[in-house]
Amino acid sequence: MVKSAQGTNVSTFRSMQVACLGQDDLPLLESAEVIAYLPGWAAVTYVGRQTVECPVDFALREVRDARLDDESIIDFIGTWGLVYPLRGPGRIPEAFFRSRGSMDMVSDLDAPEHQTRVSLGMTRNYLLVMKAMADFFIGRDRDDIEMVRNAWTNRGFPLSLVGSSVERSEEMAAEVLNAALSVYTPHVHFGNPKPVIASSVFSVAMLQVFGLLNSGWSVRYCKNDRCGKPFTRQRGRSRYGQGQHSQGVLYCSKSCAKAHLERQRRARLKGDST
């Protein structure tokens, strides 16, 4: 209640909202459009009205499965947005790039028209780091010491940088997570909360991995014999984070379950007819 000279009035102040991001409250990704391509570089413009929700197990599926040729990288950017931040916090330590002989930096082409020039080599390196982090998580979940130890070298990072021990692998993972999560602080809004937009695919994918490392979710492998991909929760049951579970779930998605069961049904019918 607020006192005034005319008497007591009901406060018209808007309520304050505080958003703290976590595993089940990931920022939205902002897709981009590649408008020009030169060897090693892509000119990209944001389609600011189009956002994409980060799917469950994005880091274990879309990122880990991403192909690394230029055309595939361009398609990935077009679907999910810029992989690394163009400026500001949230960059991987430079040692990751020096070790691979790639230190090309991005530069603006035409800021008034929101066009940027993106290094495909740097994008490729970020994807390799994220793939290594996905391997690192899966190895820890499976208690696979060799997978954890070799998560970085298996993705092409030199032994001189990443070492050969579990402890060094953990240190590298901590460096990556600290860099990615540095962009996230509590967001305060007055009135209706505004959606939080990810600064990069790197930041949101690593926020997801961080959540998985602390969630207790276990990695399963889809029983659809034409899939077999890792997952923690089944897709297609509900919105991300809403009532999803993995206990007793055999398939990574409802579509995989339906396809596998349909093939089994057809096989039975074929057997009965012979």
Side-chain angles (χ1 to χ4, degrees), residues 185-255:
T185 58
H187 291 263
V188 178
H189 302 286
F190 287 92
N192 295 328
K194 297 179 181 179
V196 179
I197 304 299
S199 63
S200 66
V201 170
F202 170 62
S203 65
V204 73
M206 294 301 94
L207 178 60
Q208 187 179 71
V209 170
F210 174 76
L212 289 172
L213 284 166
N214 289 281
S215 68
W217 290 102
S218 295
V219 176
R220 297 167 178 266
Y221 291 86
C222 184
K223 294 299 183 181
N224 181 348
D225 53 14
R226 297 186 181 179
C227 177
K229 294 180 179 179
F231 72 101
T232 61
R233 286 168 289 180
Q234 189 180 83
R235 292 184 178 182
R237 297 184 64 88
S238 60
R239 186 181 180 276
Y240 184 84
Q242 302 292 323
Q244 299 192 28
H245 63 280
S246 65
Q247 190 64 36
V249 176
L250 301 178
Y251 307 98
C252 68
S253 66
K254 293 178 69 175
S255 59

Side-chain angles (χ1 to χ4, degrees), residues 117-132:
R117 191 159 63 113
V118 176
S119 165
L120 299 182
M122 183 172 282
T123 300
R124 187 175 294 109
N125 280 354
Y126 269 84
L127 285 169
L128 285 168
V129 167
M130 291 189 286
K131 289 171 181 284

